[in-house]
Amino acid sequence: KAGVTQTPRYLIKTRGQQVTLSCSPISGHRSVSWYQQTPGQGLQFLFEYFSETQRNKGNFPGRFSGRQFSNSRSEMNVSTLELGDSALYLCASRPPGQGFSPLHFGNGTRLTVT
Amino acid sequence: KNEVEQSPQNLTAQEGEFITINCSYSVGISALHWLQQHPGGGIVSLFMLSSGKKKHGRLIATINIQEKHSSLHITASHPRDSAVYICAGQYNTDKLIFGTGTRLQVFP
């Protein structure tokens, strides 16, 4: 079974631009969550989707948004990029109906904003 | 104050040593995760537990709900165990609050 796939792996953008990151969960997984990792703040929860619905959102500005498609693939979008948005963005998926099963993480997308 | 605290921040060990990493949390959680992150960024889930103790190979995780404390133990450490270990409290669904991580280096 293929793991969680995130694309692209690396991305360089300029301040003010917008970016879209993609996450394909493990086949059969319907829950996808997103996390941001920076040297200063560590790992922080962004949002979580289940069956195309956002179930939870972390403390991030409205410039950060996401969605989930009917095939469980998820995208997150950051608009009006700021230098502080430079980070490793990770997504994770979980099997359905197993709230207490471990998360499966992708390798992340490393975003650099210049 | 971070809701999830880890100690130590950095840890060095000689191959074969027994290692303990501690994690405490300030409010009730539904589960606690132990994660491993190697250079390059990929994260692997080691354990998820809500009570008691779990073991996988040389790794053991314990949690004490009353004391709001969890420990990760590595027996007979090996240089390939060198990584950052992160604990995270799961508060509802997949909303995780992460500790700051423990950077472990095991020397041969």
Side-chain angles (χ1 to χ4, degrees), chain A residues 7-8 11 13 18-22 67 75-78 109:
Chain A
T7 56
L11 205 47
K13 289 285 188 179
Q18 74 159 18
V19 67
T20 299
L21 312 181
S22 178
R67 58 178 174 168
E75 288 181 347
M76 68 162 280
N77 185 277
V78 188
T109 293

Side-chain angles (χ1 to χ4, degrees), chain A residues 9 31-33 35 37 43-45 48 55-58 88 90 92 94 99-103 105-107 110, chain B residues 30-31 33 35 37 40-48 50 54 86 90 92-100:
Chain A
R9 284 281 280 139
S31 171
V32 174
S33 48
Y35 306 89
Q37 186 176 36
L43 272 161
Q44 294 182 280
F45 169 78
E48 182 215 349
R55 291 205 292 194
N56 266 303
K57 191 176 193 303
L88 179 68
L90 292 150
R94 185 200 289 282
F100 290 92
S101 65
L103 292 167
F105 285 84
N107 287 326
R110 189 166 295 279
Chain B
S30 54
H33 296 253
L35 310 171
Q37 186 172 33
I43 290 180
V44 173
S45 177
L46 297 175
F47 297 102
M48 189 184 75
S50 54
K54 287 190 177 180
I86 303 165
Q90 180 175 331
N92 51 57
T93 59
D94 286 347
K95 182 174 182 177
L96 301 184
I97 306 295
F98 297 89
T100 52

